[in-house]
Amino acid sequence: MTDKHILVAGAGIVGISCAIWLQRAGYHVTVVDRAGPASGTSHGNAGVLAAGAVVPVTVPGLMRKAPGMLMDRDAPLFLRWSYLPKLLPFLTRYMGYATDAHVDHYAQAMSTLLLDSAAQHRALAAGTPAERFVSDEDYCFGYAKRADFDADRYGWGKRDAVGVRYEVVSGAEYAAFDPIYGKAFETVVRCKDHGRISDPGAYVKALSDHFVEQGGTLHIAAITDLQMKDGQIAALETTDGPMRADHIVFALGPWSKKIAHKLGVKVPLESERGYHIELVNPSATPRAAMMVAAGKFVITPMEGRIRAAGVVEFGGLENGPSAAPFALLKRQVAALLPNVTYDSVNEWMGHRPAPADSLPVIGANDTSGLSYSAFGHQHVGLTGGPKTGRLIADLISGAQPNIDLTPFDPSKHQAR
């Protein structure tokens, strides 16, 4: 055990993963969070360990398609129009990454972070009450027509290039495995080497409880500012006063931008708002998570619920939920699962941290290593959280990470 003390700002899956791996490396660790474990996106995500999520939203042709999608009530892209003036500078940069070259760069980088995600979760949760939530299983993509799958060949080709394994089956063959969707899909892709978390919120809370039981400290307070001295971080200003440590790790998700910029990490970052509905106590449940390709949302079996999660909305951190994304999810789920009865419906909206280049920021914020960034995972925070935590622990311990972190280096934003 070292005498060094580390503060981790943020108690989502990324922050808790950092805390556990740092604790296992022998550090005294305190997690500080304004609301406690899994109070944000780590609770509300689809629960999929999406190892093959190596294709960004910003693919070639998005600029051409986006206006039509925004006008289509059945398209999974939404915009709070009142937020557009604030969004435009980010949106310009975001759309600038919709190139084939960047998709290849992103796929190569993210494959090193995500392909072993199920194993990373098992290693994180091993020997803790959280391990019961982790399962290895296929992650499926359902296409209403074979032609829709053929039209999606670009993305599958990018997955092929980085070694994502999958099997293409007919809808009838899949229905023999899981009849819940009936004849809704003509083609289904079953992605191998994936996994699922049966209750993401409970999972992260169980990991946090384990961290505390092992001697870690969970401090509930809001971070209000940073104390800086000679251009370097000296402390966190919180509602409970200043907090100091030998190293500080920032894993604040979509709330990271202001602090990151103060540290010189000028990452262009926006909240990509996601939605879910849950059918509570359903009469039947799917056997595996299913991405509904037409709606870009995932239907996942949860403990006592079916969750339908996804959709992209740009509307900032301050505005409340919009009605249209919930209505879209309810219409599509009703069409896909017409025979499933349930007791009630839960609704949730949360924030995904979306950098303009879609790549998370993982690494030291300065040459002295006083602070580190671990945020910006967009759709794959749950998937990539445990490995991100292990990488941060390696960096602070002076160990050589087993992947090239250059694409995730915070310094890439400092000159902009």
Side-chain angles (χ1 to χ4, degrees):
M1 178 72 72
T2 174
D3 290 333
K4 285 193 173 181
H5 178 218
I6 297 175
L7 275 173
V8 177
I13 182 60
V14 177
I16 294 298
S17 296
C18 290
I20 289 175
W21 283 117
L22 285 162
Q23 185 181 61
R24 290 174 182 173
Y27 293 97
H28 299 280
V29 185
T30 296
V31 174
V32 57
D33 190 272
R34 62 191 174 90
S39 56
T41 311
S42 290
H43 155 74
N45 61 70
V48 178
L49 305 185
V54 296
V55 181
V57 173
T58 49
V59 296
L62 178 63
M63 181 72 82
R64 183 181 68 255
K65 295 177 183 177
M69 293 176 70
L70 288 171
M71 300 302 172
D72 182 352
R73 69 192 289 267
D74 290 320
L77 178 64
F78 296 87
L79 174 67
R80 292 287 289 259
W81 291 99
S82 61
Y83 189 69
L84 184 58
K86 290 183 179 179
L87 180 67
L88 273 175
F90 170 84
L91 203 57
T92 301
R93 298 214 29 199
Y94 183 70
M95 288 297 191
Y97 286 102
T99 67
D100 189 58
H102 183 71
V103 171
D104 286 341
H105 174 66
Y106 178 91
Q108 184 58 50
M110 293 303 288
S111 68
T112 66
L113 186 65
L114 302 182
L115 285 186
D116 62 346
S117 60
Q120 293 288 339
H121 276 267
R122 289 205 175 278
L124 179 72
T128 81
E131 64 184 340
R132 77 173 183 86
F133 296 101
V134 186
S135 62
D136 296 313
E137 60 187 53
D138 294 349
Y139 174 33
C140 303
F141 286 63
Y143 292 89
K145 300 294 182 185
R146 174 74 190 203
D148 297 331
F149 167 69
D150 292 337
D152 211 9
R153 282 288 186 183
Y154 178 84
W156 292 108
K158 298 304 182 186
R159 294 180 181 94
D160 287 335
V162 296
V164 177
R165 295 196 314 119
Y166 58 88
E167 175 188 13
V168 183
V169 301
S170 69
E173 183 178 346
Y174 187 79
F177 163 75
D178 187 356
I180 197 168
Y181 298 106
K183 297 180 180 179
F185 304 121
E186 199 169 274
T187 298
V188 175
V189 183
R190 301 185 65 161
C191 295
K192 307 300 180 180
D193 311 316
H194 282 55
R196 180 172 61 87
I197 304 298
S198 60
D199 190 322
Y203 173 64
V204 176
K205 287 174 183 174
L207 288 169
S208 176
D209 289 345
H210 167 74
F211 162 73
V212 173
E213 287 167 5
Q214 295 300 306
T217 300
L218 177 64
H219 191 103
I220 306 301
I223 298 168
T224 58
D225 205 348
L226 304 181
Q227 279 188 17
M228 305 294 289
K229 183 177 180 180
D230 299 326
Q232 294 188 319
I233 187 168
L236 295 181
E237 290 284 4
T238 78
T239 48
D240 286 345
M243 299 182 70
R244 295 177 174 82
D246 296 286
H247 303 283
I248 302 176
V249 179
F250 291 99
L252 293 167
W255 290 272
S256 300
K257 183 176 178 179
K258 181 179 177 182
I259 284 176
H261 282 209
K262 194 159 188 175
L263 293 168
V265 182
K266 303 291 187 181
V267 55
L269 186 79
E270 265 295 337
S271 161
E272 189 188 286
R273 293 145 59 100
Y275 288 75
H276 85 219
I277 62 168
E278 290 183 327
L279 311 185
V280 179
N281 193 24
S283 58
T285 57
R287 292 189 63 184
M290 175 70 75
M291 165 65 80
V292 181
K296 294 293 188 289
F297 69 92
V298 183
I299 295 181
T300 309
M302 297 271 170
E303 296 188 355
R305 292 124 42 224
I306 298 173
R307 180 175 291 181
V311 183
V312 171
E313 182 188 46
F314 287 109
L317 283 168
E318 305 302 326
N319 292 314
S322 301
F326 288 128
L328 171 66
L329 288 170
K330 289 175 182 177
R331 285 196 308 273
Q332 298 213 15
V333 170
L336 284 165
L337 304 174
N339 299 318
V340 174
T341 60
Y342 46 90
D343 291 345
S344 58
V345 177
N346 294 332
E347 297 180 350
W348 175 90
M349 185 275 286
H351 302 274
R352 309 181 190 105
D357 65 359
S358 301
L359 289 163
V361 182
I362 305 169
N365 296 324
D366 50 65
T367 55
S368 63
L370 292 176
S371 71
Y372 291 77
S373 287
F375 66 87
H377 292 71
Q378 208 168 21
H379 297 257
V380 291
L382 179 68
T383 304
K387 191 162 188 175
T388 298
R390 193 191 288 257
L391 291 166
I392 290 293
D394 284 346
L395 290 170
I396 291 176
S397 301
Q400 180 63 41
N402 64 352
I403 68 171
D404 178 14
L405 289 178
T406 304
F408 312 114
D409 190 342
S411 68
K412 69 180 176 178
H413 296 292
Q414 290 176 0
R416 297 183 179 182

